[in-house]
Amino acid sequence: MTGSVTVIANTLPEDVKLLQRPFQEDSAFAHFVVNATDADDVASMRKALSTRKFCVPVHELRSSSRGEPFRVIVGSNASELSMPEVALFPNHAHQTYAGAASLRKTTMLSLRRIRTAWIVGTIPCAAALSASCGMVPGDGMGNMHGRLPAAEVIAPAPWPGSLSVPTVADDNPDPNVVEVSLRAAPTEVEYVPGRRTQAWAYNGSVPGPTIRAKVGDEIIVHFSNRLPEPTTIHWHGVRVPSSMDGTVMMQQPVQPGSTFDYRFKALDAGTFWYHPHIRSDVQVDKGLYGTIVIDEPNEPAIPAVADEIVVLDDVLVDGPSGSPMSTGMGGMMGMGMGGGMRMGQEGNFILVDGARANVELAVRAGEVRRWRFVNTANARFFRLALSGGTMIRIGSDAGLLARPHAVSEILLVNGQREDVLVSVNQSGTTAVLQALPYARAMGMTSSGPIHLIRLVANTEPAATPPALPDPLRNVTAPAQPVKARSLRLGERMSHGGWVFTINGAAYPNVPVIDSSVGDAETWQIVNETEMDHPFHLHGFFFWVPSGKEWRDTVNIPANATVALQPYFDPRPGAGGSWAYHCHILEHAEAGMMGEVRVR
Ligand code: C2O
Ligand code: CU
């Protein structure tokens, strides 16, 4: 069967400038820069979109930055569509389309603005034109049943460096008290070498400085807000008292120019992180995040030559200039929660510990390093694999696992942590930590593999891998759950934007869950959407029966149900209101959040 490719742009074809060749390993897409002109006819564009069949749907219509030309991303999943004809159009877009039959002026819808658009042309392609190939009426560009955007990820050349994140100074001489100061303020960072960009950061660095403590320590954080807007700090994964949790359910926002002291006890060993809980989609994206590492002197020693934090994030940089774009304009891209934001914001420039990806470390084969992965990205999932090396999982959100085990890959969703031991297999070779493609929504095209870290082994004979403690820890399931609940994750269109829902309602209208201190419960998280949602609960860990481990964040795949067993452990401050939400920050801000009131 033969289908067709329709390219929509809002200029005449002569002005369409190709930004990128369309073919990557498993996806085909092209970018066009088009000039935006205001216009008025939403209905006709909607109609055009609903009546046309797009073999290669327009994934996204977005401005490359505020007020600049729009970028149209046209793409498809090559594994489903084989389209030799399409190979022609990116290289000769103008020629191909100049003679195209229909040049029809019409309009495109975005959340806040209406743009004039042209349907530039149609070319045939040899592909099955399935039901999943068309735009869905009224879906405002974020076509669920068609393909979703493959971010055009910039691949920096390998560069020699290290994995380093600053540690915040402990101002208190008491060995059992860690007293630090954190200040959130606008600053300039250099994501792309030689190019300064505006960011918001804790103590001037992205990631913010690591807070390092040991189990039993008292942690005091003198926080000062020098941002132009209110903020709070949430201690993701740390079992803090509810009043210290940083949600507006329990705390007044810290106003610009004001301060707040957070105080809590380090109860669990592991890797945690901190970030704002007000307008988190914007504030985290601008650079406000840092890690917390809690050690437990009584845990078995992990024989590693290095203990490194690997914070993974992505930002959006302007392709042609390479300079980072100021993100988080409350739906930059001119799309608000519609269209592009429906999937949450993915960047095109990957950050490893706040620096460009593809950093190269000089190592010896067989030598073991401990990496603590943290995914702080708004929406990007990292499906991690170490080619040419060995990766052994030893911990996750809630600290050490019961036993170490070798893995070929790890899916690290937003908010999660994973502790692994890595090594290069053979001397004189390089192992590459890669982010493999992962379709987190039905039909989504995904870029990759993306090179994140290279371990370059010297020619010394490989070191003998050390024996690992096994078991690592005694891990047990919670007591018999006393209550069963089910939470349905959904989405719907409302006033031209997407609203994400729990049991049909958007926060703050999601019915409050009442639970009791000391109880374990079973929550069935039913994902009724066609995209994955990483589910996070504040203040308590939940047991994931399928994985037999404790976590605070877990992926709920599209159209799937995952059972969790939160345990509302008794401790000072366990009572109160706690948030749970999707950790794709745009989704949390667009309604996919609820409150559990623990008494
Ligand atoms: Cu890391 Cu409520 O989130
Ligand atoms: Cu979500």
Side-chain angles (χ1 to χ4, degrees):
M1 198 175 170
T2 298
S4 65
V5 177
T6 301
V7 176
I8 298 179
N10 59 355
T11 59
L12 292 173
E14 295 87 282
D15 302 323
V16 172
K17 190 176 119 211
L18 185 72
L19 282 189
Q20 181 172 329
R21 293 178 55 83
F23 288 108
Q24 289 208 342
E25 217 163 55
D26 71 337
S27 67
F29 60 94
H31 290 191
F32 299 86
V33 168
V34 294
N35 297 311
T37 12
D38 285 331
D40 37 21
D41 193 359
V42 183
S44 79
M45 186 61 204
R46 287 199 158 205
K47 202 165 153 214
L49 290 174
S50 62
T51 52
R52 276 178 174 266
K53 286 278 180 234
F54 294 91
C55 174
V56 178
V58 173
H59 290 326
E60 222 178 319
L61 174 72
R62 58 192 200 184
S63 64
S64 53
S65 75
R66 287 227 298 193
E68 282 180 18
F70 267 33
R71 184 170 295 193
V72 181
I73 301 173
V74 183
S76 84
N77 189 328
S79 59
E80 288 174 45
L81 304 171
S82 76
M83 46 173 83
E85 291 86 342
V86 178
L88 297 173
F89 86 72
N91 297 324
H92 308 285
H94 309 168
Q95 293 86 333
T96 307
Y97 291 111
S102 58
L103 268 180
R104 293 185 11 195
K105 196 177 182 195
T106 181
T107 52
M108 284 197 166
L109 166 74
S110 76
L111 185 66
R112 291 181 304 190
R113 296 186 207 157
I114 300 158
R115 306 277 171 189
T116 303
W118 293 87
I119 291 184
V120 175
T122 306
I123 60 167
C125 81
L129 195 61
S130 68
S132 70
C133 220
M135 295 294 279
V136 175
D139 108 337
M141 264 35 103
N143 179 12
M144 265 336 279
H145 300 285
R147 320 294 166 262
L148 289 151
E152 166 199 6
V153 173
I154 295 167
W159 60 284
S162 61
L163 296 171
S164 63
V165 178
T167 299
V168 69
D170 174 3
D171 299 326
N172 194 310
D174 185 329
N176 301 319
V177 178
V178 173
E179 186 165 359
V180 305
S181 295
L182 287 181
R183 181 187 133 115
T187 188
E188 281 198 324
V189 292
E190 215 176 270
Y191 292 141
V192 178
R195 298 186 190 273
R196 311 288 298 170
T197 189
Q198 299 298 315
W200 287 0
Y202 293 111
N203 294 5
S205 75
V206 178
T210 298
I211 298 173
R212 202 134 193 163
K214 60 182 188 320
V215 171
D217 282 356
E218 158 134 47
I219 298 176
I220 303 168
V221 179
H222 301 291
F223 173 60
S224 128
N225 178 12
R226 301 301 175 86
L227 302 172
E229 63 181 50
T231 189
T232 58
I233 305 183
H234 166 57
W235 314 94
H236 184 128
V238 183
R239 291 188 297 135
V240 299
S242 58
S243 59
M244 294 289 136
D245 192 46
T247 65
V248 291
M249 297 166 190
M250 293 299 294
Q251 182 190 355
Q252 293 296 325
V254 183
Q255 296 300 327
S258 308
T259 60
F260 187 85
D261 288 347
Y262 289 96
R263 282 170 185 268
F264 48 89
K265 226 178 147 108
L267 301 177
D268 305 292
T271 309
F272 309 97
W273 65 297
Y274 59 94
H275 63 79
H277 224 274
I278 290 182
R279 292 222 307 152
S280 61
D281 55 337
V282 173
Q283 297 193 1
V284 177
D285 186 59
K286 282 174 169 290
L288 291 170
Y289 55 80
T291 54
I292 307 172
V293 174
I294 313 281
D295 298 307
E296 164 58 277
N298 296 324
E299 272 177 1
I302 303 295
V305 298
D307 182 341
E308 291 161 324
I309 296 164
V310 181
V311 182
L312 300 172
D313 188 14
D314 61 350
V315 289
L316 198 60
V317 305
D318 181 59
S321 73
S323 60
M325 304 193 326
S326 163
T327 55
M329 307 302 292
M332 57 142 345
M333 314 312 227
M335 294 297 284
M337 293 168 336
M341 290 301 111
R342 182 178 184 190
M343 296 302 302
Q345 180 178 294
E346 287 197 356
N348 58 356
F349 193 75
I350 309 296
L351 298 176
V352 177
D353 291 342
R356 68 192 184 280
N358 221 2
V359 57
E360 207 165 65
L361 314 182
V363 304
R364 179 182 174 193
E367 227 171 45
V368 167
R369 312 175 87 79
R370 179 178 189 170
W371 280 352
R372 300 167 183 265
F373 293 125
V374 187
N375 181 350
T376 66
N378 279 31
R380 177 178 296 275
F381 287 13
F382 289 92
R383 182 180 155 216
L384 301 167
L386 185 68
S387 78
T390 300
M391 186 157 72
I392 298 170
R393 266 188 101 219
I394 59 166
S396 67
D397 297 346
L400 291 180
L401 304 174
R403 309 189 57 179
H405 60 276
V407 287
S408 57
E409 59 178 70
I410 286 174
L411 181 64
L412 186 76
V413 303
N414 317 84
Q416 283 185 327
R417 287 85 63 215
E418 288 281 343
D419 278 19
V420 296
L421 299 178
V422 294
S423 56
V424 183
N425 294 340
Q426 270 178 40
S427 72
T429 66
T430 297
V432 183
L433 179 75
Q434 306 183 349
L436 302 177
Y438 178 81
R440 62 183 172 84
M442 213 174 104
M444 182 182 186
T445 56
S446 162
S447 46
I450 300 165
H451 289 195
L452 301 172
I453 304 174
R454 302 163 66 84
L455 293 172
V456 182
N458 58 26
T459 51
E460 261 183 81
T464 313
L468 299 180
D470 187 359
L472 292 162
R473 188 158 76 130
N474 180 26
V475 173
T476 50
Q480 189 57 37
V482 298
K483 252 199 188 97
R485 308 179 190 272
S486 114
L487 301 178
R488 290 174 295 108
L489 309 181
E491 62 171 338
R492 62 177 145 79
M493 237 353 212
S494 170
H495 302 107
W498 284 99
V499 171
F500 291 86
T501 59
I502 296 172
N503 288 346
Y507 184 79
N509 299 318
V510 178
V512 171
I513 293 176
D514 281 299
S515 298
S516 303
V517 172
D519 281 0
E521 301 188 352
T522 297
W523 292 8
Q524 300 285 344
I525 316 297
V526 185
N527 186 346
E528 296 179 342
T529 74
E530 291 180 345
M531 62 177 89
D532 295 14
H533 295 286
F535 184 94
H536 171 49
L537 171 66
H538 283 214
F540 305 93
F541 295 113
F542 48 74
W543 177 253
V544 187
S546 56
K548 293 199 170 24
E549 64 182 90
W550 291 93
R551 297 211 78 120
D552 57 54
T553 308
V554 75
N555 190 36
I556 317 293
N559 296 309
T561 297
V562 175
L564 317 174
Q565 298 179 343
Y567 172 46
F568 301 106
D569 66 279
R571 64 175 197 267
S577 287
W578 300 92
Y580 62 87
H581 58 88
C582 173
H583 220 289
I584 289 176
L585 299 174
E586 288 76 12
H587 294 175
E589 295 294 332
M592 198 172 272
M593 171 144 65
E595 173 181 339
V596 48
R597 203 174 291 148
V598 180
R599 279 186 252 249

